[in-house]
Amino acid sequence: MTKAIKLLTALPQAQRERLMELAKEVSFPEDTRIFEAGGTADRFWVIRSGAVHLEQEVTARKRVTVGTLGAGDLLGWSWLFPPYRWDFGSVAFSNVRAYEFDGPSVLALCVEDPLLGLSLVRSVAEILAHRLEITRGKLMEQYAVSRRSPL
């Protein structure tokens, strides 16, 4: 299994400093919807404190929490991939403080500094791989439980 990495600590110091020049400090009160699935993905956040739930809409009236993120975690990767639409929704589970990054500005920085771009994409890919492995494990557990349950 891949290990959990934190975006900012995964980047070499010089690249982290360049990226942080684009950071804006933001906060979200508890129960604030940060973004909706299908909406325009033009930014991302690195959580400084608090917790955020990632949600998947199952029906028009039901959402399921598919992940919880906390301090140091990357919130949002859809800004990096066309068609730049959120795959999930997110809501602040508690009061959240975060660094916010404008996606197009970060992409422009990556073009200007290809080493930073490569480091950033590799770090995001590692984060995604780790989250996929965790999700796979949860699905396997759920499948095993449902197989043991009488019909």
Side-chain angles (χ1 to χ4, degrees):
M1 179 183 266
T2 60
K3 64 179 178 130
I5 69 164
K6 306 297 184 184
L7 180 66
L8 294 180
T9 56
L11 295 174
Q13 183 176 346
Q15 294 171 349
R16 181 173 53 249
E17 288 172 1
R18 287 208 66 200
L19 180 64
M20 288 305 293
E21 290 173 6
L22 301 177
K24 174 178 135 186
E25 292 189 35
V26 297
S27 60
F28 301 101
E30 182 176 352
D31 295 327
T32 299
R33 182 146 297 282
I34 301 170
F35 56 83
E36 272 303 337
T40 301
D42 60 355
R43 63 198 63 244
F44 66 97
W45 300 264
V46 174
I47 300 170
R48 296 178 60 211
S49 65
V52 173
H53 282 182
L54 296 176
E55 298 178 335
Q56 181 68 56
E57 192 172 287
V58 213
T59 67
R61 286 188 262 164
K62 182 170 179 168
R63 296 172 194 222
V64 175
T65 298
V66 295
T68 301
L69 305 176
D73 286 334
L74 169 68
L75 172 60
W77 61 75
S78 298
W79 63 274
L80 189 54
F81 307 104
Y84 309 109
R85 298 276 173 208
W86 297 117
D87 291 317
F88 301 97
S90 69
V91 64
F93 181 68
S94 63
N95 291 328
V96 172
R97 291 177 40 224
Y99 293 118
E100 181 178 88
F101 297 87
D102 176 73
S105 297
V106 172
L107 290 172
L109 180 61
C110 291
V111 168
E112 177 186 315
D113 183 346
L115 288 177
L116 182 137
L118 181 60
S119 293
L120 185 63
V121 169
R122 280 186 172 164
S123 296
V124 170
E126 265 189 79
I127 291 166
L128 294 177
H130 179 72
R131 290 185 189 170
L132 183 59
E133 286 180 11
I134 289 171
T135 301
R136 187 179 125 251
K138 287 179 182 177
L139 287 172
M140 298 291 284
E141 287 174 19
Q142 185 63 35
Y143 178 74
V145 167
S146 67
R147 298 261 313 167
R148 289 192 296 255
S149 299
L151 297 175

